Amino acid sequence: MTTAVCTSASDATARAATRPAVRGTQTLTYPSFSSYMRARQPVLLRTARSLTANPCDAEDLLQTALTKTYVAWERIEDHRALDGYVRRALLNTRTSQWRKRKVDEFACDELPEPETAGGAEDPAEQQAMHDAMWRAIAKLPERQRAMVVLRYYEDLSEVQTAEVLGVSVGTVKSAVSRALGKLREDPELVLAR
């Protein structure tokens, strides 16, 4: 139904209108069709766009309807009613396309929920917990905050943390223990558990 290349319907239809139609051994040309098509093409294209979501599909739809009109040009008795004829051709062509389309979606009573991989939490909840944790760490005194970050976020050992900060290993152990106690009692983190 939709092609990858979108050409202008007015160009393609104008070329088709200036070419003679061949019926058996007769060659038919309709200059009145060319003038009608040039004059009414913008209005009819708006109608086609109201029938489709894609502008390229609308141009294809209009081109098909104008081709059907060109083929039936001799049979159309009242040329004052051409807009109605073309609009009916647009609607019939669009209805035929709609009926031929493949339906890949099916209505159901319950929407299927995507399964989470390995019991993972909702990413929004994980981000909220992450933000709450950083706010709680920011409330710690500077020295305890530095030790917690080095120990758990930078994954340094107690000895390495002590070396970086220039303190004893016992100081690191006691300061981290007090910091973890404060974090366990932080109201934001208690509510998040």
Side-chain angles (χ1 to χ4, degrees):
M1 186 177 349
T2 305
T3 58
V5 178
C6 180
T7 60
S8 175
S10 60
D11 296 341
T13 311
R15 286 191 304 272
T18 56
R19 275 189 244 131
V22 177
R23 185 177 293 162
T25 56
Q26 293 179 339
T27 302
L28 305 172
T29 340
Y30 303 117
S32 57
F33 176 79
S34 297
S35 60
Y36 166 77
M37 190 265 317
R38 283 191 196 102
R40 300 300 294 162
Q41 189 263 341
V43 173
L44 295 171
L45 185 58
R46 280 196 300 272
T47 303
R49 284 189 178 149
S50 70
L51 294 173
T52 63
N54 185 337
C56 292
D57 289 343
E59 290 178 354
D60 291 343
L61 180 64
L62 178 60
Q63 185 174 355
T64 304
L66 287 173
T67 302
K68 290 178 180 181
T69 305
Y70 183 76
V71 169
W73 194 254
E74 285 182 339
R75 293 188 316 248
I76 301 172
E77 294 175 9
D78 186 8
H79 283 238
R80 292 174 295 177
L82 282 173
D83 281 356
Y85 184 90
V86 175
R87 284 192 178 101
R88 176 48 67 181
L90 283 168
L91 188 60
N92 290 345
T93 303
R94 182 65 185 135
T95 302
S96 295
Q97 291 172 348
W98 178 79
R99 285 180 180 153
K100 289 177 187 176
R101 85 187 193 314
K102 181 181 175 186
V103 177
D104 292 330
E105 298 175 8
F106 302 98
C108 60
D109 292 334
E110 294 181 28
L111 293 175
E113 293 296 326
E115 294 182 26
T116 56
E121 291 183 32
D122 180 25
E125 290 178 19
Q126 289 177 342
Q127 185 63 42
M129 178 58 100
H130 183 265
D131 293 343
M133 179 62 77
W134 275 110
R135 283 192 300 274
I137 289 173
K139 294 176 193 173
L140 294 173
E142 187 177 333
R143 189 171 173 177
Q144 287 179 355
R145 182 174 50 231
M147 290 182 190
V148 167
V149 169
L150 289 173
R151 183 79 178 91
Y152 295 104
Y153 284 94
E154 295 296 323
D155 202 26
L156 298 179
S157 68
E158 292 170 342
V159 175
Q160 291 170 325
T161 303
E163 288 174 4
V164 168
L165 295 175
V167 295
S168 69
V169 175
T171 304
V172 171
K173 287 182 180 182
S174 62
V176 168
S177 177
R178 283 192 304 275
L180 291 177
K182 288 180 183 179
L183 292 175
R184 283 187 194 103
E185 294 182 14
D186 188 280
E188 271 191 274
L189 297 178
V190 171
L191 293 175
R193 283 189 233 152

